[in-house]
Amino acid sequence: MAYVITQRCCNDASCVPECPVDCIRPTPEQREFATTEQLYIDPDTCIDCGACVDACPVDAIFSEDDLLASLGRFRDINAAYFQRHPLESNFEPLVAPTRAPKELGTLRVAIVGAGPAACYAAEELLRRADVEVELFDRLPTPYGLVRAGVAPDHPGTKSVANLFESAFRREALQYRLNVEVGKHISHEELLGHHHAVIYAVGAATDRRLGVPGEDLPGSHSATEFVAWYNGHPDFADREFDLSGERAVIVGNGNVALDVARVLTVNPDELAKTDIADHAVDALRRSNIKEVVVLGRRGPLQAAYTSPEFLALAHLKGVDIIVDPEDLVLDPASQAELDSPEVEPSLQLKYTLAQEYAAGARNPDNKRIVFRYLVSPTAVTGEGKAEGVEYVHNELVEENGRTVARASDRTGSLEASLVLRSIGYRGEPVADVPFDESNGVIPNDKGRVLADGNPVQGVYVSGWIKRGPRGVIGSNRVDSTETVDQIIEDYTNGKLAAPQGDRAALDALLAERQPDQIGREGWKAIDAAEKTAGKAAGRPRVKFTSVEDLLKAAKG
């Protein structure tokens, strides 16, 4: 018997150093780690000790004998990875990360943002230095996309917040919630009160399609829709037209799949989750029966991961539709699939598409329809979105890469709701350098750069550092790299001593933002939401306005 890593895997690699026989791959040191869909356990080496289970922050690891039917296939998925990448273990001892010397005193760090990248950085700092960390966020609640981005039907993924809650019990970390940097406190003032400032503000905006009609009512970004159903205060009052029978999602990454599920799953099932009440009410009135997911490239190049694609097979009352003609591959894609070097995850992605194409259909079910090799050319409608026009693409080789090029074949779909889900983009931060072309803050391993030179005391982590790539756990390795630079610079005397201490910061913020929410305020919000959830048989019932969150924070 062996343990198996399943769909929930967050890729933060907490399990890797805990394995006594070193059988979890890929590791953060390996090239494959940057692009892997999940981590895997070698069934032939696993000794069934369960150490990885205890280390996993999202409960993604199970004994193979305990796998639910919906996860049973992951036994073969784990094994297939090691058939392609045979385990080579050298049992090299782990090298303890460098700590800041105690004689230097207390390192003060401000972290702007309270999402996964910020929290992993804070956790790392707390482990490696005598430190005071101030965690700033403009919202009254922490955890960023864990709270406002992860789909409500993925509660296991949200459990990474428990890891942060446990690590942040010490007074060394203070929450500075409902405080907006640039409004209540400036960048220069942050530097004046800290040795270092880490910006972990994510990628707050979405990429646009750049087609006519994109701004018609009924055409939105998936970012807005996700924030709406998750109860983000900035989006709680948005309205989405669910009166028609078809919605179109442009883009086929994991966010697109999240949205497609929310639009088609029985609202009674969603009502058991922490989805916002206003979203459940709207979905109960929804007339949508079909969601069409458009991808500009073929099934091998689809942006979703195979674990998320596989999970669709287990939705109740929903058919997954793939046109067999869309599975005819171009020569280069076919050669890649036929290669003995093909990655098992890619093979699985295509196999699943074939299974959906051959699957049974129930006319009473809702439908998620995947269309490949199409790009929208316009959102159409008189005064509101009523449809999408598109062009069929062809895959061609260009400079050694397979790219999609428009053909002369066109088509259209009627739809009352159009959502674009083609990626995120970072926004500039006041008084901090910004790379407009790539939508990131320029940096070298986390040190912010201006004209190629490090900016004293300013660092970056997460999507605003590397671009919108990776999943929640990807931020652990990324944040560790950034903290490495801070510890090195602090040890080498390259950080200016702060002019003001924590008491001075308290006084400044008390004057600028009397509605600041600290640890006790967040604990009151958390307890109130969970208490309301318990009464309703749910994980929590979210407050979705700043006013209600402030009231809850004050008890």
Side-chain angles (χ1 to χ4, degrees):
M1 184 175 69
Y3 279 88
V4 177
I5 300 179
T6 65
Q7 176 193 347
R8 293 177 185 171
C9 180
C10 71
N11 288 23
D12 87 342
S14 296
C15 56
V16 172
E18 300 303 317
C19 179
V21 291
D22 191 31
C23 71
I24 302 175
R25 293 292 185 274
T27 67
E29 296 76 27
Q30 293 180 298
R31 181 185 60 187
E32 295 85 2
F33 184 83
T35 57
T36 190
E37 293 186 337
Q38 64 166 84
L39 305 186
Y40 307 88
I41 294 174
D42 180 15
D44 294 332
T45 308
C46 177
I47 59 172
D48 193 29
C49 69
C52 56
V53 178
D54 296 333
C56 179
V58 294
D59 300 326
I61 307 177
F62 299 86
S63 164
E64 62 179 327
D65 290 346
D66 295 332
L67 290 172
L68 300 174
S70 60
L71 300 177
R73 202 161 179 171
F74 281 91
R75 181 189 295 106
D76 295 334
I77 290 171
N78 277 245
Y81 180 84
F82 291 95
Q83 292 170 8
R84 170 67 180 85
H85 301 279
L87 184 66
E88 295 180 1
S89 180
N90 53 18
F91 288 98
E92 291 184 3
L94 294 175
V95 177
T98 303
R99 283 187 55 87
K102 284 185 175 293
E103 58 268 23
L104 292 180
T106 301
L107 170 64
R108 285 190 45 74
V109 181
I111 303 180
V112 183
C119 290
Y120 276 123
E123 181 200 24
E124 187 72 10
L125 283 164
L126 290 167
R127 289 195 305 111
R128 295 178 56 186
D130 292 331
V131 67
E132 290 180 346
V133 177
E134 316 291 340
L135 196 65
F136 289 83
D137 200 283
R138 70 178 185 85
L139 292 177
T141 55
Y143 306 140
L145 289 181
V146 175
R147 179 180 172 96
V150 174
D153 60 348
H154 281 19
T157 305
K158 294 174 183 281
S159 61
V160 71
N162 298 332
L163 170 72
F164 303 139
E165 289 283 1
S166 178
F168 296 168
R169 290 173 182 167
R170 294 162 49 190
E171 290 297 315
L173 181 138
Q174 293 293 330
Y175 292 99
R176 307 288 185 175
L177 306 175
N178 203 39
V179 177
E180 185 171 351
V181 174
K183 177 181 179 181
H184 300 118
I185 188 170
S186 70
H187 170 70
E188 288 302 319
E189 287 171 329
L190 284 179
L191 285 173
H193 288 80
H194 303 89
H195 292 92
V197 179
I198 302 174
Y199 285 93
V201 294
T205 60
D206 61 282
R207 295 175 58 194
R208 293 178 59 81
L209 296 171
V211 302
E214 183 174 9
D215 294 319
L216 281 170
S219 173
H220 311 268
S221 73
T223 306
E224 298 173 67
F225 190 72
V226 169
W228 170 75
Y229 66 61
N230 273 317
H232 191 298
D234 291 352
F235 298 90
D237 60 352
R238 298 294 174 91
E239 294 184 359
F240 297 88
D241 186 356
L242 307 179
S243 63
E245 294 191 354
R246 179 185 290 134
V248 169
I249 305 174
V250 181
N252 60 9
N254 285 347
V255 172
L257 269 58
D258 288 345
V259 172
R261 290 197 316 275
V262 168
L263 286 169
T264 53
V265 166
N266 189 326
D268 290 342
E269 292 298 314
L270 292 173
K272 301 173 185 177
T273 72
D274 69 350
I275 190 172
D277 288 345
H278 59 251
V280 174
D281 293 342
L283 291 166
R284 291 192 193 281
R285 300 189 300 270
S286 172
N287 293 324
I288 290 177
K289 296 181 180 178
E290 179 178 277
V291 177
V292 181
V293 181
L294 304 181
R296 66 184 179 89
R297 297 193 295 174
L300 290 191
Q301 297 84 23
Y304 51 71
T305 59
S306 55
E308 291 297 323
F309 197 38
L310 170 60
L312 298 179
H314 301 283
L315 297 181
K316 296 178 181 178
V318 182
D319 288 339
I320 311 302
I321 310 296
V322 173
D323 187 340
E325 292 187 4
D326 281 353
L327 301 183
V328 177
L329 300 178
D330 64 286
S333 296
Q334 188 65 59
E336 182 178 12
L337 195 64
D338 292 340
S339 168
E341 303 298 314
V342 64
E343 287 294 328
S345 59
L346 187 65
Q347 178 68 65
L348 176 61
K349 189 178 288 188
Y350 188 73
T351 299
L352 290 170
Q354 290 177 308
E355 292 174 3
Y356 291 139
R361 309 283 183 253
N362 184 335
D364 295 328
N365 283 352
K366 294 182 179 180
R367 297 154 50 98
I368 299 175
V369 180
F370 287 85
R371 298 287 303 275
Y372 301 99
L373 289 170
V374 292
S375 294
T377 54
V379 178
T380 59
E382 294 295 327
K384 64 176 183 177
E386 296 174 343
V388 174
E389 293 179 350
Y390 59 84
V391 62
H392 290 270
N393 296 323
E394 296 175 345
L395 292 181
V396 297
E397 285 292 304
E398 188 174 283
N399 297 324
R401 297 173 58 244
T402 300
V403 298
R405 287 284 178 261
S407 71
D408 56 2
R409 294 190 300 132
T410 60
S412 63
L413 287 166
E414 292 183 0
S416 62
L417 178 66
V418 180
L419 300 171
R420 63 181 180 273
S421 183
I422 56 173
Y424 297 90
R425 177 178 171 80
E427 289 187 305
V429 173
D431 302 319
V432 177
F434 189 70
D435 179 351
E436 190 67 43
S437 61
N438 293 307
V440 299
I441 294 174
N443 69 94
D444 178 20
K445 297 181 180 180
R447 290 187 180 97
V448 171
L449 303 177
D451 299 323
N453 299 310
V455 179
Q456 185 184 46
V458 187
Y459 303 83
V460 68
S461 185
W463 279 3
I464 197 67
K465 169 186 175 183
R466 68 181 187 274
R469 302 185 304 275
V471 293
I472 286 174
S474 307
N475 292 293
R476 176 185 282 280
V477 174
D478 180 285
S479 297
T480 298
E481 179 184 64
T482 295
V483 171
D484 284 342
Q485 315 313 309
I486 295 175
I487 299 295
E488 180 180 318
D489 290 347
Y490 183 53
T491 301
N492 292 333
K494 294 183 178 181
L495 300 182
Q499 300 163 358
D501 58 11
R502 178 170 276 178
L505 181 65
D506 285 338
L508 176 66
L509 292 177
E511 177 184 346
R512 301 273 184 84
Q513 172 54 314
D515 288 329
Q516 176 192 185
I517 293 176
R519 174 181 281 102
E520 294 306 314
W522 161 238
K523 285 172 64 176
I525 293 171
D526 190 41
E529 289 185 338
K530 288 178 177 177
T531 298
K534 186 175 182 180
R538 302 168 60 185
R540 69 172 67 232
V541 175
K542 292 178 179 175
F543 298 109
T544 59
S545 72
V546 171
E547 180 182 5
D548 288 343
L549 286 162
L550 289 176
K551 287 180 181 178
K554 296 173 182 177

Short mmCIF file of all heavy atoms in Angstrom, two decimals, residues 254 305 552:
data_model
loop_
_atom_site.label_atom_id
_atom_site.label_comp_id
_atom_site.label_asym_id
_atom_site.label_seq_id
_atom_site.Cartn_x
_atom_site.Cartn_y
_atom_site.Cartn_z
N ASN A 254 -7.85 26.93 -15.50
CA ASN A 254 -8.58 26.40 -14.34
C ASN A 254 -9.65 27.36 -13.83
O ASN A 254 -10.69 26.93 -13.32
CB ASN A 254 -7.61 26.07 -13.21
CG ASN A 254 -6.81 24.80 -13.47
OD1 ASN A 254 -7.14 24.02 -14.38
ND2 ASN A 254 -5.78 24.58 -12.70
N THR A 305 -5.42 22.27 -16.06
CA THR A 305 -4.61 21.12 -15.66
C THR A 305 -5.44 19.84 -15.78
O THR A 305 -6.67 19.87 -15.67
CB THR A 305 -4.11 21.26 -14.22
OG1 THR A 305 -5.24 21.37 -13.34
CG2 THR A 305 -3.23 22.49 -14.07
N ALA A 552 -18.66 43.45 12.48
CA ALA A 552 -18.29 42.15 13.05
C ALA A 552 -16.95 42.26 13.78
O ALA A 552 -16.74 41.65 14.84
CB ALA A 552 -18.21 41.09 11.96
#
